[in-house]
Amino acid sequence: MVSLSTGVIIGSAFNNIVTAFTKGVVEPILAIIGGSDLGTSHLKFRIWERMTTVTEKVNGVEVKTEKLMPVLLDVGSVMGAVVGFLITATIVFFIIVKPTNKLLDLMLKKEQPPAAMPPDVALLTEIRDMMQRQEERGLKGAV
């Protein structure tokens, strides 16, 4: 229970670092490559338009007008979220998961008994031991 709560707290604090790194380092690099900003304001694609009633104040009077408003597909924020997720997953995997698994493997290797022999090897070993015992007793010629 303590491990889970610690993970949640550290994960939420780590989110701020990943967001800052993504916005401050990764997005500018991708902007150089792609020629545009990955922010939510630049990578939007118009899917279609729909009529919407808009209320505006003109000289203190509310005026309702019908306007054709675009419906946008916001690719920039999705790409930013994917990059943030990939950075988080990579760091968590290489900083937390891999070392923990390696440590557990080292601990378990010390505690495990030697592996059991395959059945055919065990049978041959048993036959060899029986023959050696018979030889030691001098019964080899009698059989």
Side-chain angles (χ1 to χ4, degrees):
M1 196 71 164
V2 172
S3 297
L4 179 63
S5 62
T6 303
V8 169
I9 292 168
I10 290 175
S12 63
F14 190 68
N15 183 35
N16 295 334
I17 296 170
V18 170
T19 302
F21 181 76
T22 302
K23 291 201 180 300
V25 176
V26 175
E27 285 184 3
I29 291 171
L30 291 176
I32 291 170
I33 295 169
S36 72
D37 183 17
L38 280 182
T40 58
S41 62
H42 288 81
L43 273 177
K44 291 183 181 182
F45 298 102
R46 183 182 307 219
I47 299 174
W48 70 84
E49 294 178 345
R50 65 181 179 143
M51 293 299 286
T52 306
T53 304
V54 178
T55 305
E56 297 176 321
K57 283 195 174 184
V58 178
N59 295 329
V61 178
E62 287 188 3
V63 178
K64 290 185 178 183
T65 58
E66 296 257 334
K67 286 191 176 181
L68 199 57
M69 298 294 288
V71 177
L72 303 173
L73 184 64
D74 191 2
V75 177
S77 63
V78 173
M79 287 177 66
V82 168
V83 168
F85 171 76
L86 291 175
I87 291 169
T88 304
T90 302
I91 291 173
V92 166
F93 181 74
F94 285 110
I95 301 294
I96 297 172
V97 175
K98 290 269 297 176
T100 303
N101 288 342
K102 185 73 171 173
L103 182 64
L104 286 174
D105 286 345
L106 291 173
M107 288 172 50
L108 291 177
K109 280 184 183 177
K110 291 179 183 176
E111 295 174 4
Q112 287 181 345
M117 288 188 278
D120 56 344
V121 174
L123 179 62
L124 290 172
T125 305
E126 186 178 334
I127 292 171
R128 182 199 65 200
D129 293 344
M130 283 176 36
M131 290 177 71
Q132 283 177 348
R133 283 194 301 267
Q134 282 180 352
E135 210 173 87
E136 289 173 0
R137 291 183 191 155
L139 300 175
K140 185 176 183 186
V143 176

PDB file of all heavy atoms in Angstrom, residues 22-60:
ATOM      1  N   THR A  22       9.035  18.644 -22.111  1.00  0.00           N
ATOM      2  CA  THR A  22       8.381  18.529 -23.417  1.00  0.00           C
ATOM      3  C   THR A  22       8.191  19.900 -24.049  1.00  0.00           C
ATOM      4  O   THR A  22       8.513  20.111 -25.221  1.00  0.00           O
ATOM      5  CB  THR A  22       7.020  17.827 -23.271  1.00  0.00           C
ATOM      6  OG1 THR A  22       7.223  16.547 -22.680  1.00  0.00           O
ATOM      7  CG2 THR A  22       6.348  17.652 -24.610  1.00  0.00           C
ATOM      8  N   LYS A  23       7.677  20.844 -23.275  1.00  0.00           N
ATOM      9  CA  LYS A  23       7.423  22.185 -23.819  1.00  0.00           C
ATOM     10  C   LYS A  23       8.715  22.969 -24.049  1.00  0.00           C
ATOM     11  O   LYS A  23       8.806  23.734 -24.996  1.00  0.00           O
ATOM     12  CB  LYS A  23       6.494  22.954 -22.897  1.00  0.00           C
ATOM     13  CG  LYS A  23       5.087  22.402 -22.883  1.00  0.00           C
ATOM     14  CD  LYS A  23       4.103  23.424 -22.395  1.00  0.00           C
ATOM     15  CE  LYS A  23       2.701  22.885 -22.388  1.00  0.00           C
ATOM     16  NZ  LYS A  23       2.224  22.457 -23.684  1.00  0.00           N
ATOM     17  N   GLY A  24       9.711  22.783 -23.193  1.00  0.00           N
ATOM     18  CA  GLY A  24      10.927  23.574 -23.290  1.00  0.00           C
ATOM     19  C   GLY A  24      11.998  23.013 -24.204  1.00  0.00           C
ATOM     20  O   GLY A  24      12.795  23.761 -24.756  1.00  0.00           O
ATOM     21  N   VAL A  25      12.027  21.692 -24.390  1.00  0.00           N
ATOM     22  CA  VAL A  25      13.100  21.085 -25.177  1.00  0.00           C
ATOM     23  C   VAL A  25      12.572  20.351 -26.413  1.00  0.00           C
ATOM     24  O   VAL A  25      13.001  20.604 -27.532  1.00  0.00           O
ATOM     25  CB  VAL A  25      13.936  20.118 -24.296  1.00  0.00           C
ATOM     26  CG1 VAL A  25      14.981  19.403 -25.114  1.00  0.00           C
ATOM     27  CG2 VAL A  25      14.575  20.862 -23.144  1.00  0.00           C
ATOM     28  N   VAL A  26      11.632  19.428 -26.197  1.00  0.00           N
ATOM     29  CA  VAL A  26      11.188  18.562 -27.293  1.00  0.00           C
ATOM     30  C   VAL A  26      10.385  19.331 -28.337  1.00  0.00           C
ATOM     31  O   VAL A  26      10.634  19.201 -29.540  1.00  0.00           O
ATOM     32  CB  VAL A  26      10.366  17.373 -26.740  1.00  0.00           C
ATOM     33  CG1 VAL A  26       9.798  16.538 -27.870  1.00  0.00           C
ATOM     34  CG2 VAL A  26      11.232  16.528 -25.825  1.00  0.00           C
ATOM     35  N   GLU A  27       9.413  20.126 -27.907  1.00  0.00           N
ATOM     36  CA  GLU A  27       8.586  20.858 -28.868  1.00  0.00           C
ATOM     37  C   GLU A  27       9.389  21.843 -29.719  1.00  0.00           C
ATOM     38  O   GLU A  27       9.153  21.915 -30.924  1.00  0.00           O
ATOM     39  CB  GLU A  27       7.425  21.554 -28.161  1.00  0.00           C
ATOM     40  CG  GLU A  27       6.340  20.590 -27.753  1.00  0.00           C
ATOM     41  CD  GLU A  27       5.134  21.267 -27.129  1.00  0.00           C
ATOM     42  OE1 GLU A  27       5.098  22.522 -27.058  1.00  0.00           O
ATOM     43  OE2 GLU A  27       4.223  20.543 -26.713  1.00  0.00           O
ATOM     44  N   PRO A  28      10.339  22.599 -29.164  1.00  0.00           N
ATOM     45  CA  PRO A  28      11.149  23.454 -30.039  1.00  0.00           C
ATOM     46  C   PRO A  28      11.970  22.668 -31.062  1.00  0.00           C
ATOM     47  O   PRO A  28      12.111  23.095 -32.205  1.00  0.00           O
ATOM     48  CB  PRO A  28      12.064  24.209 -29.064  1.00  0.00           C
ATOM     49  CG  PRO A  28      11.311  24.240 -27.797  1.00  0.00           C
ATOM     50  CD  PRO A  28      10.580  22.938 -27.746  1.00  0.00           C
ATOM     51  N   ILE A  29      12.496  21.512 -30.666  1.00  0.00           N
ATOM     52  CA  ILE A  29      13.248  20.688 -31.618  1.00  0.00           C
ATOM     53  C   ILE A  29      12.324  20.192 -32.727  1.00  0.00           C
ATOM     54  O   ILE A  29      12.657  20.251 -33.910  1.00  0.00           O
ATOM     55  CB  ILE A  29      13.931  19.506 -30.895  1.00  0.00           C
ATOM     56  CG1 ILE A  29      15.047  20.030 -29.997  1.00  0.00           C
ATOM     57  CG2 ILE A  29      14.465  18.483 -31.896  1.00  0.00           C
ATOM     58  CD1 ILE A  29      15.645  18.977 -29.084  1.00  0.00           C
ATOM     59  N   LEU A  30      11.137  19.720 -32.356  1.00  0.00           N
ATOM     60  CA  LEU A  30      10.181  19.261 -33.369  1.00  0.00           C
ATOM     61  C   LEU A  30       9.685  20.424 -34.219  1.00  0.00           C
ATOM     62  O   LEU A  30       9.375  20.244 -35.401  1.00  0.00           O
ATOM     63  CB  LEU A  30       9.008  18.545 -32.705  1.00  0.00           C
ATOM     64  CG  LEU A  30       9.349  17.200 -32.061  1.00  0.00           C
ATOM     65  CD1 LEU A  30       8.129  16.633 -31.353  1.00  0.00           C
ATOM     66  CD2 LEU A  30       9.889  16.221 -33.077  1.00  0.00           C
ATOM     67  N   ALA A  31       9.619  21.610 -33.646  1.00  0.00           N
ATOM     68  CA  ALA A  31       9.203  22.785 -34.416  1.00  0.00           C
ATOM     69  C   ALA A  31      10.244  23.121 -35.478  1.00  0.00           C
ATOM     70  O   ALA A  31       9.897  23.542 -36.586  1.00  0.00           O
ATOM     71  CB  ALA A  31       8.986  23.975 -33.489  1.00  0.00           C
ATOM     72  N   ILE A  32      11.525  22.942 -35.149  1.00  0.00           N
ATOM     73  CA  ILE A  32      12.585  23.185 -36.133  1.00  0.00           C
ATOM     74  C   ILE A  32      12.467  22.182 -37.271  1.00  0.00           C
ATOM     75  O   ILE A  32      12.550  22.536 -38.444  1.00  0.00           O
ATOM     76  CB  ILE A  32      13.975  23.089 -35.463  1.00  0.00           C
ATOM     77  CG1 ILE A  32      14.175  24.254 -34.510  1.00  0.00           C
ATOM     78  CG2 ILE A  32      15.074  23.054 -36.517  1.00  0.00           C
ATOM     79  CD1 ILE A  32      15.400  24.120 -33.636  1.00  0.00           C
ATOM     80  N   ILE A  33      12.243  20.931 -36.922  1.00  0.00           N
ATOM     81  CA  ILE A  33      12.140  19.878 -37.930  1.00  0.00           C
ATOM     82  C   ILE A  33      10.874  20.050 -38.763  1.00  0.00           C
ATOM     83  O   ILE A  33      10.908  19.992 -39.986  1.00  0.00           O
ATOM     84  CB  ILE A  33      12.154  18.489 -37.262  1.00  0.00           C
ATOM     85  CG1 ILE A  33      13.489  18.248 -36.586  1.00  0.00           C
ATOM     86  CG2 ILE A  33      11.856  17.391 -38.270  1.00  0.00           C
ATOM     87  CD1 ILE A  33      13.516  17.035 -35.682  1.00  0.00           C
ATOM     88  N   GLY A  34       9.752  20.270 -38.095  1.00  0.00           N
ATOM     89  CA  GLY A  34       8.472  20.342 -38.794  1.00  0.00           C
ATOM     90  C   GLY A  34       8.117  21.715 -39.306  1.00  0.00           C
ATOM     91  O   GLY A  34       7.204  21.856 -40.111  1.00  0.00           O
ATOM     92  N   GLY A  35       8.790  22.736 -38.857  1.00  0.00           N
ATOM     93  CA  GLY A  35       8.527  24.081 -39.337  1.00  0.00           C
ATOM     94  C   GLY A  35       7.351  24.763 -38.670  1.00  0.00           C
ATOM     95  O   GLY A  35       6.949  25.840 -39.078  1.00  0.00           O
ATOM     96  N   SER A  36       6.771  24.162 -37.642  1.00  0.00           N
ATOM     97  CA  SER A  36       5.685  24.824 -36.927  1.00  0.00           C
ATOM     98  C   SER A  36       5.747  24.432 -35.460  1.00  0.00           C
ATOM     99  O   SER A  36       6.445  23.507 -35.084  1.00  0.00           O
ATOM    100  CB  SER A  36       4.322  24.448 -37.504  1.00  0.00           C
ATOM    101  OG  SER A  36       4.016  23.110 -37.170  1.00  0.00           O
ATOM    102  N   ASP A  37       4.997  25.129 -34.671  1.00  0.00           N
ATOM    103  CA  ASP A  37       4.947  24.873 -33.236  1.00  0.00           C
ATOM    104  C   ASP A  37       4.030  23.685 -32.983  1.00  0.00           C
ATOM    105  O   ASP A  37       3.046  23.490 -33.673  1.00  0.00           O
ATOM    106  CB  ASP A  37       4.413  26.133 -32.538  1.00  0.00           C
ATOM    107  CG  ASP A  37       4.387  25.983 -31.037  1.00  0.00           C
ATOM    108  OD1 ASP A  37       5.053  25.068 -30.527  1.00  0.00           O
ATOM    109  OD2 ASP A  37       3.715  26.793 -30.393  1.00  0.00           O
ATOM    110  N   LEU A  38       4.347  22.878 -31.980  1.00  0.00           N
ATOM    111  CA  LEU A  38       3.476  21.765 -31.638  1.00  0.00           C
ATOM    112  C   LEU A  38       2.434  22.159 -30.608  1.00  0.00           C
ATOM    113  O   LEU A  38       1.725  21.315 -30.098  1.00  0.00           O
ATOM    114  CB  LEU A  38       4.294  20.597 -31.074  1.00  0.00           C
ATOM    115  CG  LEU A  38       4.987  19.721 -32.088  1.00  0.00           C
ATOM    116  CD1 LEU A  38       5.709  18.602 -31.372  1.00  0.00           C
ATOM    117  CD2 LEU A  38       4.022  19.159 -33.085  1.00  0.00           C
ATOM    118  N   GLY A  39       2.346  23.422 -30.292  1.00  0.00           N
ATOM    119  CA  GLY A  39       1.351  23.868 -29.330  1.00  0.00           C
ATOM    120  C   GLY A  39      -0.052  23.658 -29.865  1.00  0.00           C
ATOM    121  O   GLY A  39      -0.266  23.394 -31.036  1.00  0.00           O
ATOM    122  N   THR A  40      -1.017  23.799 -28.993  1.00  0.00           N
ATOM    123  CA  THR A  40      -2.389  23.514 -29.397  1.00  0.00           C
ATOM    124  C   THR A  40      -2.932  24.529 -30.393  1.00  0.00           C
ATOM    125  O   THR A  40      -3.929  24.283 -31.036  1.00  0.00           O
ATOM    126  CB  THR A  40      -3.299  23.491 -28.152  1.00  0.00           C
ATOM    127  OG1 THR A  40      -3.197  24.756 -27.491  1.00  0.00           O
ATOM    128  CG2 THR A  40      -2.905  22.377 -27.222  1.00  0.00           C
ATOM    129  N   SER A  41      -2.273  25.669 -30.538  1.00  0.00           N
ATOM    130  CA  SER A  41      -2.811  26.695 -31.413  1.00  0.00           C
ATOM    131  C   SER A  41      -2.397  26.532 -32.869  1.00  0.00           C
ATOM    132  O   SER A  41      -3.009  27.120 -33.747  1.00  0.00           O
ATOM    133  CB  SER A  41      -2.368  28.076 -30.923  1.00  0.00           C
ATOM    134  OG  SER A  41      -0.961  28.153 -30.968  1.00  0.00           O
ATOM    135  N   HIS A  42      -1.376  25.743 -33.177  1.00  0.00           N
ATOM    136  CA  HIS A  42      -0.863  25.712 -34.539  1.00  0.00           C
ATOM    137  C   HIS A  42      -1.183  24.443 -35.316  1.00  0.00           C
ATOM    138  O   HIS A  42      -1.330  24.501 -36.521  1.00  0.00           O
ATOM    139  CB  HIS A  42       0.649  25.923 -34.534  1.00  0.00           C
ATOM    140  CG  HIS A  42       1.024  27.332 -34.207  1.00  0.00           C
ATOM    141  ND1 HIS A  42       1.069  27.801 -32.922  1.00  0.00           N
ATOM    142  CD2 HIS A  42       1.337  28.368 -35.001  1.00  0.00           C
ATOM    143  CE1 HIS A  42       1.413  29.069 -32.928  1.00  0.00           C
ATOM    144  NE2 HIS A  42       1.591  29.438 -34.185  1.00  0.00           N
ATOM    145  N   LEU A  43      -1.240  23.318 -34.687  1.00  0.00           N
ATOM    146  CA  LEU A  43      -1.497  22.092 -35.424  1.00  0.00           C
ATOM    147  C   LEU A  43      -2.953  21.660 -35.268  1.00  0.00           C
ATOM    148  O   LEU A  43      -3.248  20.653 -34.640  1.00  0.00           O
ATOM    149  CB  LEU A  43      -0.564  20.974 -34.951  1.00  0.00           C
ATOM    150  CG  LEU A  43       0.768  20.910 -35.641  1.00  0.00           C
ATOM    151  CD1 LEU A  43       1.631  19.823 -35.038  1.00  0.00           C
ATOM    152  CD2 LEU A  43       0.633  20.680 -37.118  1.00  0.00           C
ATOM    153  N   LYS A  44      -3.817  22.433 -35.846  1.00  0.00           N
ATOM    154  CA  LYS A  44      -5.242  22.102 -35.852  1.00  0.00           C
ATOM    155  C   LYS A  44      -5.697  22.028 -37.296  1.00  0.00           C
ATOM    156  O   LYS A  44      -5.292  22.828 -38.128  1.00  0.00           O
ATOM    157  CB  LYS A  44      -6.049  23.167 -35.115  1.00  0.00           C
ATOM    158  CG  LYS A  44      -5.804  23.197 -33.629  1.00  0.00           C
ATOM    159  CD  LYS A  44      -6.686  24.211 -32.949  1.00  0.00           C
ATOM    160  CE  LYS A  44      -6.410  24.237 -31.464  1.00  0.00           C
ATOM    161  NZ  LYS A  44      -7.267  25.176 -30.762  1.00  0.00           N
ATOM    162  N   PHE A  45      -6.521  21.049 -37.575  1.00  0.00           N
ATOM    163  CA  PHE A  45      -7.043  20.886 -38.917  1.00  0.00           C
ATOM    164  C   PHE A  45      -8.552  21.047 -38.896  1.00  0.00           C
ATOM    165  O   PHE A  45      -9.237  20.489 -38.044  1.00  0.00           O
ATOM    166  CB  PHE A  45      -6.676  19.502 -39.472  1.00  0.00           C
ATOM    167  CG  PHE A  45      -5.203  19.286 -39.585  1.00  0.00           C
ATOM    168  CD1 PHE A  45      -4.520  18.521 -38.650  1.00  0.00           C
ATOM    169  CD2 PHE A  45      -4.496  19.869 -40.613  1.00  0.00           C
ATOM    170  CE1 PHE A  45      -3.166  18.327 -38.751  1.00  0.00           C
ATOM    171  CE2 PHE A  45      -3.130  19.681 -40.734  1.00  0.00           C
ATOM    172  CZ  PHE A  45      -2.466  18.904 -39.793  1.00  0.00           C
ATOM    173  N   ARG A  46      -9.055  21.792 -39.858  1.00  0.00           N
ATOM    174  CA  ARG A  46     -10.488  22.018 -39.963  1.00  0.00           C
ATOM    175  C   ARG A  46     -11.134  20.771 -40.555  1.00  0.00           C
ATOM    176  O   ARG A  46     -10.768  20.332 -41.631  1.00  0.00           O
ATOM    177  CB  ARG A  46     -10.746  23.226 -40.861  1.00  0.00           C
ATOM    178  CG  ARG A  46     -12.194  23.597 -40.989  1.00  0.00           C
ATOM    179  CD  ARG A  46     -12.349  24.760 -41.912  1.00  0.00           C
ATOM    180  NE  ARG A  46     -11.466  25.824 -41.433  1.00  0.00           N
ATOM    181  CZ  ARG A  46     -11.789  27.104 -41.434  1.00  0.00           C
ATOM    182  NH1 ARG A  46     -12.921  27.493 -41.932  1.00  0.00           N
ATOM    183  NH2 ARG A  46     -10.949  28.001 -40.978  1.00  0.00           N
ATOM    184  N   ILE A  47     -12.099  20.222 -39.843  1.00  0.00           N
ATOM    185  CA  ILE A  47     -12.803  19.040 -40.322  1.00  0.00           C
ATOM    186  C   ILE A  47     -14.046  19.463 -41.115  1.00  0.00           C
ATOM    187  O   ILE A  47     -14.247  19.033 -42.239  1.00  0.00           O
ATOM    188  CB  ILE A  47     -13.214  18.128 -39.147  1.00  0.00           C
ATOM    189  CG1 ILE A  47     -11.992  17.661 -38.386  1.00  0.00           C
ATOM    190  CG2 ILE A  47     -13.994  16.940 -39.648  1.00  0.00           C
ATOM    191  CD1 ILE A  47     -12.314  16.891 -37.140  1.00  0.00           C
ATOM    192  N   TRP A  48     -14.876  20.302 -40.498  1.00  0.00           N
ATOM    193  CA  TRP A  48     -16.044  20.861 -41.159  1.00  0.00           C
ATOM    194  C   TRP A  48     -16.452  22.119 -40.433  1.00  0.00           C
ATOM    195  O   TRP A  48     -15.835  22.495 -39.445  1.00  0.00           O
ATOM    196  CB  TRP A  48     -17.205  19.851 -41.254  1.00  0.00           C
ATOM    197  CG  TRP A  48     -17.868  19.508 -39.953  1.00  0.00           C
ATOM    198  CD1 TRP A  48     -18.852  20.196 -39.335  1.00  0.00           C
ATOM    199  CD2 TRP A  48     -17.608  18.383 -39.112  1.00  0.00           C
ATOM    200  NE1 TRP A  48     -19.210  19.593 -38.162  1.00  0.00           N
ATOM    201  CE2 TRP A  48     -18.462  18.464 -38.006  1.00  0.00           C
ATOM    202  CE3 TRP A  48     -16.735  17.299 -39.185  1.00  0.00           C
ATOM    203  CZ2 TRP A  48     -18.473  17.520 -37.001  1.00  0.00           C
ATOM    204  CZ3 TRP A  48     -16.755  16.370 -38.176  1.00  0.00           C
ATOM    205  CH2 TRP A  48     -17.608  16.489 -37.096  1.00  0.00           C
ATOM    206  N   GLU A  49     -17.491  22.754 -40.895  1.00  0.00           N
ATOM    207  CA  GLU A  49     -17.981  23.965 -40.246  1.00  0.00           C
ATOM    208  C   GLU A  49     -19.447  23.765 -39.909  1.00  0.00           C
ATOM    209  O   GLU A  49     -20.160  23.030 -40.582  1.00  0.00           O
ATOM    210  CB  GLU A  49     -17.811  25.173 -41.171  1.00  0.00           C
ATOM    211  CG  GLU A  49     -16.359  25.495 -41.438  1.00  0.00           C
ATOM    212  CD  GLU A  49     -16.186  26.662 -42.390  1.00  0.00           C
ATOM    213  OE1 GLU A  49     -17.153  27.044 -43.071  1.00  0.00           O
ATOM    214  OE2 GLU A  49     -15.081  27.184 -42.456  1.00  0.00           O
ATOM    215  N   ARG A  50     -19.883  24.440 -38.851  1.00  0.00           N
ATOM    216  CA  ARG A  50     -21.289  24.352 -38.484  1.00  0.00           C
ATOM    217  C   ARG A  50     -21.783  25.726 -38.077  1.00  0.00           C
ATOM    218  O   ARG A  50     -21.015  26.590 -37.634  1.00  0.00           O
ATOM    219  CB  ARG A  50     -21.504  23.348 -37.364  1.00  0.00           C
ATOM    220  CG  ARG A  50     -20.844  23.755 -36.081  1.00  0.00           C
ATOM    221  CD  ARG A  50     -21.048  22.719 -35.010  1.00  0.00           C
ATOM    222  NE  ARG A  50     -20.363  23.184 -33.804  1.00  0.00           N
ATOM    223  CZ  ARG A  50     -20.814  23.007 -32.605  1.00  0.00           C
ATOM    224  NH1 ARG A  50     -21.933  22.359 -32.408  1.00  0.00           N
ATOM    225  NH2 ARG A  50     -20.145  23.453 -31.576  1.00  0.00           N
ATOM    226  N   MET A  51     -23.065  25.918 -38.220  1.00  0.00           N
ATOM    227  CA  MET A  51     -23.688  27.199 -37.856  1.00  0.00           C
ATOM    228  C   MET A  51     -23.895  27.238 -36.344  1.00  0.00           C
ATOM    229  O   MET A  51     -24.402  26.289 -35.753  1.00  0.00           O
ATOM    230  CB  MET A  51     -25.032  27.371 -38.558  1.00  0.00           C
ATOM    231  CG  MET A  51     -24.912  27.532 -40.061  1.00  0.00           C
ATOM    232  SD  MET A  51     -23.964  28.975 -40.531  1.00  0.00           S
ATOM    233  CE  MET A  51     -25.108  30.259 -40.170  1.00  0.00           C
ATOM    234  N   THR A  52     -23.478  28.328 -35.733  1.00  0.00           N
ATOM    235  CA  THR A  52     -23.591  28.499 -34.295  1.00  0.00           C
ATOM    236  C   THR A  52     -24.124  29.893 -34.007  1.00  0.00           C
ATOM    237  O   THR A  52     -23.751  30.865 -34.673  1.00  0.00           O
ATOM    238  CB  THR A  52     -22.212  28.341 -33.626  1.00  0.00           C
ATOM    239  OG1 THR A  52     -21.645  27.088 -34.014  1.00  0.00           O
ATOM    240  CG2 THR A  52     -22.300  28.383 -32.124  1.00  0.00           C
ATOM    241  N   THR A  53     -24.994  29.985 -33.006  1.00  0.00           N
ATOM    242  CA  THR A  53     -25.496  31.282 -32.580  1.00  0.00           C
ATOM    243  C   THR A  53     -24.495  31.884 -31.597  1.00  0.00           C
ATOM    244  O   THR A  53     -24.133  31.267 -30.601  1.00  0.00           O
ATOM    245  CB  THR A  53     -26.876  31.153 -31.895  1.00  0.00           C
ATOM    246  OG1 THR A  53     -27.757  30.491 -32.793  1.00  0.00           O
ATOM    247  CG2 THR A  53     -27.422  32.488 -31.508  1.00  0.00           C
ATOM    248  N   VAL A  54     -24.043  33.100 -31.924  1.00  0.00           N
ATOM    249  CA  VAL A  54     -23.051  33.789 -31.106  1.00  0.00           C
ATOM    250  C   VAL A  54     -23.668  35.079 -30.582  1.00  0.00           C
ATOM    251  O   VAL A  54     -24.289  35.832 -31.320  1.00  0.00           O
ATOM    252  CB  VAL A  54     -21.785  34.110 -31.939  1.00  0.00           C
ATOM    253  CG1 VAL A  54     -20.775  34.863 -31.107  1.00  0.00           C
ATOM    254  CG2 VAL A  54     -21.188  32.839 -32.502  1.00  0.00           C
ATOM    255  N   THR A  55     -23.492  35.325 -29.276  1.00  0.00           N
ATOM    256  CA  THR A  55     -23.982  36.561 -28.674  1.00  0.00           C
ATOM    257  C   THR A  55     -22.794  37.486 -28.452  1.00  0.00           C
ATOM    258  O   THR A  55     -21.827  37.130 -27.781  1.00  0.00           O
ATOM    259  CB  THR A  55     -24.682  36.273 -27.330  1.00  0.00           C
ATOM    260  OG1 THR A  55     -25.708  35.304 -27.546  1.00  0.00           O
ATOM    261  CG2 THR A  55     -25.267  37.529 -26.739  1.00  0.00           C
ATOM    262  N   GLU A  56     -22.867  38.708 -29.031  1.00  0.00           N
ATOM    263  CA  GLU A  56     -21.797  39.692 -28.899  1.00  0.00           C
ATOM    264  C   GLU A  56     -22.397  40.995 -28.389  1.00  0.00           C
ATOM    265  O   GLU A  56     -23.564  41.290 -28.611  1.00  0.00           O
ATOM    266  CB  GLU A  56     -21.124  39.955 -30.254  1.00  0.00           C
ATOM    267  CG  GLU A  56     -20.444  38.751 -30.848  1.00  0.00           C
ATOM    268  CD  GLU A  56     -19.890  39.044 -32.227  1.00  0.00           C
ATOM    269  OE1 GLU A  56     -20.544  39.750 -33.010  1.00  0.00           O
ATOM    270  OE2 GLU A  56     -18.801  38.550 -32.512  1.00  0.00           O
ATOM    271  N   LYS A  57     -21.580  41.768 -27.689  1.00  0.00           N
ATOM    272  CA  LYS A  57     -22.017  43.099 -27.256  1.00  0.00           C
ATOM    273  C   LYS A  57     -21.467  44.125 -28.238  1.00  0.00           C
ATOM    274  O   LYS A  57     -20.264  44.213 -28.439  1.00  0.00           O
ATOM    275  CB  LYS A  57     -21.529  43.412 -25.852  1.00  0.00           C
ATOM    276  CG  LYS A  57     -22.324  42.720 -24.779  1.00  0.00           C
ATOM    277  CD  LYS A  57     -22.035  43.334 -23.438  1.00  0.00           C
ATOM    278  CE  LYS A  57     -22.972  42.719 -22.413  1.00  0.00           C
ATOM    279  NZ  LYS A  57     -22.821  43.321 -21.125  1.00  0.00           N
ATOM    280  N   VAL A  58     -22.361  44.851 -28.835  1.00  0.00           N
ATOM    281  CA  VAL A  58     -21.982  45.920 -29.751  1.00  0.00           C
ATOM    282  C   VAL A  58     -22.575  47.209 -29.197  1.00  0.00           C
ATOM    283  O   VAL A  58     -23.789  47.360 -29.115  1.00  0.00           O
ATOM    284  CB  VAL A  58     -22.515  45.645 -31.179  1.00  0.00           C
ATOM    285  CG1 VAL A  58     -22.154  46.779 -32.106  1.00  0.00           C
ATOM    286  CG2 VAL A  58     -21.988  44.313 -31.693  1.00  0.00           C
ATOM    287  N   ASN A  59     -21.715  48.136 -28.764  1.00  0.00           N
ATOM    288  CA  ASN A  59     -22.147  49.410 -28.166  1.00  0.00           C
ATOM    289  C   ASN A  59     -23.081  49.188 -26.974  1.00  0.00           C
ATOM    290  O   ASN A  59     -24.077  49.882 -26.816  1.00  0.00           O
ATOM    291  CB  ASN A  59     -22.799  50.317 -29.201  1.00  0.00           C
ATOM    292  CG  ASN A  59     -21.821  50.744 -30.266  1.00  0.00           C
ATOM    293  OD1 ASN A  59     -20.632  50.878 -30.005  1.00  0.00           O
ATOM    294  ND2 ASN A  59     -22.324  50.949 -31.470  1.00  0.00           N
ATOM    295  N   GLY A  60     -22.766  48.185 -26.151  1.00  0.00           N
ATOM    296  CA  GLY A  60     -23.569  47.937 -24.957  1.00  0.00           C
ATOM    297  C   GLY A  60     -24.847  47.154 -25.225  1.00  0.00           C
ATOM    298  O   GLY A  60     -25.622  46.910 -24.318  1.00  0.00           O
TER     299      GLY A  60
END
